[in-house]
């Protein structure tokens, strides 16, 4: 199998995630790409630091010349900051290496120049993880919205501040306490002032505006304010008035040759607006284009695993490493509908007028929530059944002595997004 040699700059939150993903998902990566990705060297600042990774097959060093070697095919930069990342990336490109980076500050400030250099050196520069963590925001703009005139972008582009605002507004926790948690979870930058003062979102908006509007926007062109002066009481009052407070990034282009605007500001969003339900570390970006109309992408905007996912996908997508076509497939073991949804909603159509006092204790015991709706000669009974089985359903129906004229069973989706579980429609006939 063909080997791809990777040099990794940084072994912090994101770097460790990249290392783990390449190891833990080596089988799936090899199956889909037909390639074996091997990190041969890692650059760190403090080689003596205690790390929760056991690395025996890569050189860990503080010396860049030991990392970028003749064998390097791709350089992955996840160390952050402008220098020395900027110089290292330029050296790598000039040596003919593709570059993958998660560094939004660097791309916001020097993205155009680095893309120019990548073109001259005939290598790729990819930076999907620099905006929106695991959400494929950049690929969507670059590859799926090329033919649209994009005139508006709106979104939540910083996971740390969205997590802080959500926890402060919903749970009443203090700013300092939640910021500490965001740091522990690996959401915040090494200097979190960049997150809470709004600059991190400014970098990301600058990158998006360049890609969406083809506008050479500088970081200093964006009007911004962070969340450091947000008071708990302010959030509670906004909540009572029907609003969620979000650090909202907005950019607009007023016509083909008209002006553009960009801002990042703590903004009151009506609770019924889709962005109000984007909570905690989740980010969202809505793009408005003349043909696509509007498109919203939502996902985890920070943290080790989502960010590593974006970096590794970029790595696999660098030039010449296209996926195997056709993809090798296996015969799957399909779960049947009955095994899919442990919690179900049951709708029973019971003859006659039913009141709560008529419900038997055994019926009420099974139903975790229950509601009645009278309808002419029938009463509809809706109930939530946990640990659903056909036997339990039959037992509930049998308590009505043949008075059930119809039944519908629907899956119930669990409250929190799990990232991997998806609900499928399932219905039984009356
Ligand atoms: P981090 O946890 O602070 O890790 C930084 C890593 O880079 C550390 O391993 C550090 O070495 C190394 N490093 C820093 N400066 C160095 C230098 N001058 N020379 C050699 N090594 C150096 O940061 P992170 O959260 O992983 O973020 C890395 C990059 O990804 C940043 O550009 C960030 O904006 C971006 N990003 C982060 C996230 C996220 O959720 N965290 C999401 C998207 C993008 P030591 O370990 O020895 O200190
Ligand atoms: N610190 C950044 C955030 C990391 O919280 O959104 C992801 O870019």
């Amino acid at each position: 199998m063909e080997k791809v040699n990777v040099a990794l700059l940084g072994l912090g939150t994101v770097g460790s995630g990249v290392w783990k993903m390449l190891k833990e998902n080596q089988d799936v990566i090899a199956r889909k790409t037909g390639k074996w990705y091997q990190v041969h060297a890692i650059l760190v600042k403090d080689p003596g630091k205690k790390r929760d990774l056991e690395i025996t097959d890569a050189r860990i060093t503080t010396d860049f010349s030991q990392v970028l070697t003749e064998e390097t095919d791709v350089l992955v930069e996840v160390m952050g900051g402008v220098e020395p990342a900027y110089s290292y990336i330029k050296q790598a490109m000039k040596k003919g290496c593709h570059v993958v980076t998660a560094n939004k500050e660097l791309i916001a400030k020097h993205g155009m120049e680095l893309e120019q250099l990548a073109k001259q050196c005939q290598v790729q520069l990819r930076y999907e993880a620099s905006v929106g963590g695991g959400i494929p925001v950049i690929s969507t703009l670059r590859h799926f919205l090329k033919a649209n005139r994009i005139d508006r972008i709106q979104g939540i582009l910083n996971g740390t501040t969205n997590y802080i605002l959500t926890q402060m507004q919903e749970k009443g926790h203090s700013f300092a306490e939640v910021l500490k948690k965001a740091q522990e979870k690996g959401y915040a930058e090494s200097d979190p002032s960049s997150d809470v003062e709004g600059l991190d979102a400014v970098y990301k908006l600058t990158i998006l505006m360049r890609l969406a509007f083809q506008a050479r926007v500088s970081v200093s062109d964006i009007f911004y304010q962070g969340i450091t002066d947000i008071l708990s009481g302010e959030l509670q009052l906004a909540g009572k008035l029907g609003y969620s407070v979000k650090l909202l990034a907005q950019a607009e282009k007023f016509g083909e040759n008209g002006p553009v605007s960009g801002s990042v500001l703590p903004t009151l969003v009506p609770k019924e607006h889709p962005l109000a339900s984007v909570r905690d570390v989740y980010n969202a970006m809505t793009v408005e284009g003349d043909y696509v109309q509007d498109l919203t992408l939502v996902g985890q905007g920070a943290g080790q695993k989502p960010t590593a996912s974006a970096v590794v996908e970029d790595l696999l997508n660098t030039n010449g490493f296209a996926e195997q076509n056709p993809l090798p497939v296996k015969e799957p073991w399909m779960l049947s509908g009955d095994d899919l949804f442990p919690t179900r909603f049951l709708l029973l159509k019971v003859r006659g007028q039913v009141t709560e006092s008529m419900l038997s204790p055994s019926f009420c015991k099974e139903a975790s929530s229950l509601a009645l709706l009278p309808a002419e000669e029938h009463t509809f009974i809706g109930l939530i059944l946990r640990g659903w089985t056909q036997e339990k359903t039959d037992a509930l129906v049998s308590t009505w002595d043949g008075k059930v004229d119809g039944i519908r069973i629907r899956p119930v989706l669990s409250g929190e997004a799990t990232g991997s579980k998806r609900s499928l429609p399932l219905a039984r006939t009356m």
Side-chain angles (χ1 to χ4, degrees), residues 41 134 162 191 224 252 274 324 364 402:
N162 205 40
D191 173 4
Y224 77 99
E252 209 156 342
Q324 301 214 85
C364 296

Side-chain angles (χ1 to χ4, degrees), residues 65-337:
S65 66
Q66 300 270 309
V67 175
L68 182 70
T69 63
E70 289 311 314
E71 57 180 336
T72 309
D73 297 304
V74 187
L75 182 92
V76 173
E77 185 275 309
V78 284
M79 53 196 273
V82 171
E83 279 296 359
Y86 183 40
S87 305
Y88 291 164
I89 285 177
K90 288 198 286 191
Q91 282 185 52
M93 285 181 182
K94 286 177 186 164
K95 270 195 137 195
C97 295
H98 299 297
V99 171
V100 171
T101 177
N103 194 329
K104 62 294 290 263
E105 181 177 3
L106 179 63
I107 296 298
K109 293 180 177 168
H110 299 287
M112 277 182 59
E113 176 202 334
L114 287 173
E115 280 186 342
Q116 193 58 41
L117 181 62
K119 192 175 167 196
Q120 275 167 22
C121 301
Q122 297 183 323
V123 296
Q124 282 204 14
L125 169 69
R126 305 185 74 100
Y127 45 89
E128 183 60 75
S130 66
V131 184
I135 316 172
V137 169
I138 289 175
S139 303
T140 302
L141 283 176
R142 290 193 93 121
H143 305 297
F144 303 105
L145 295 173
K146 283 196 287 284
N148 273 266
R149 290 176 206 281
I150 296 172
D151 41 41
R152 197 152 177 243
I153 301 172
Q154 196 176 48
I156 296 168
L157 300 180
N158 183 271
T160 302
T161 46
N162 205 40
Y163 177 76
I164 293 174
L165 291 170
T166 308
Q167 296 287 315
M168 283 177 76
Q169 185 157 16
E170 292 181 7
K171 306 213 172 115
H173 293 163
S174 75
F175 180 91
E177 179 183 4
V178 201
L179 171 58
K180 192 162 167 279
K181 267 204 203 161
Q183 288 176 293
E184 286 162 8
K185 285 173 178 280
Y187 301 157
E189 297 300 302
S190 51
D191 173 4
S193 60
S194 164
D195 294 295
V196 295
E197 287 171 8
L199 257 180
D200 180 82
V202 168
Y203 295 146
K204 292 166 177 168
L205 191 63
T206 307
I207 297 171
L208 295 182
M209 287 174 76
R210 178 165 60 84
L211 298 176
F213 304 156
Q214 290 91 57
R216 183 198 288 264
V217 177
S218 296
V219 169
S220 58
D221 292 331
I222 311 276
F223 177 57
Y224 77 99
Q225 199 187 338
I227 63 160
T228 46
D229 67 347
I230 292 268
L231 302 171
S232 232
E234 189 180 340
L235 296 175
Q236 307 314 321
L237 284 176
K240 282 192 178 162
L241 295 172
Y243 295 92
S244 292
V245 181
K246 299 287 177 193
L247 185 64
L248 201 68
Q250 299 199 76
E252 209 156 342
K253 184 176 183 185
F254 300 89
E256 210 42 38
N257 299 312
V260 294
S261 69
S263 63
V264 171
L265 297 167
T267 305
L268 271 71
V269 177
K271 282 190 176 163
E272 59 276 13
H273 190 284
L275 287 178
S277 58
V278 177
R279 300 169 56 256
D280 285 332
V281 74
Y282 280 79
N283 280 192
M285 180 190 73
T286 299
V287 188
E288 289 175 25
D290 56 351
Y291 271 72
V292 75
Q293 298 289 296
D294 56 286
L295 170 74
T296 300
L297 301 172
V298 183
Q300 296 195 23
Q304 185 172 76
K305 284 190 166 182
T307 312
S309 164
V311 172
V312 172
E313 295 294 345
D314 259 355
L315 171 62
L316 270 49
N317 284 327
T318 50
N319 242 356
F321 304 135
E323 67 182 24
Q324 301 214 85
N325 209 359
L327 272 181
V329 292
K330 294 191 272 188
E331 289 301 319
W333 167 31
M334 295 294 294
L335 289 179
S336 76

Side-chain angles (χ1 to χ4, degrees), residues 11-14 44-46 49 51 78 80 102 104 186 189 303 307:
L11 193 60
T13 302
V14 183
V44 295
K45 203 179 209 163
D46 175 6
K49 193 188 262 186
R51 302 178 199 270
V78 284
K104 62 294 290 263
E189 297 300 302
T307 312

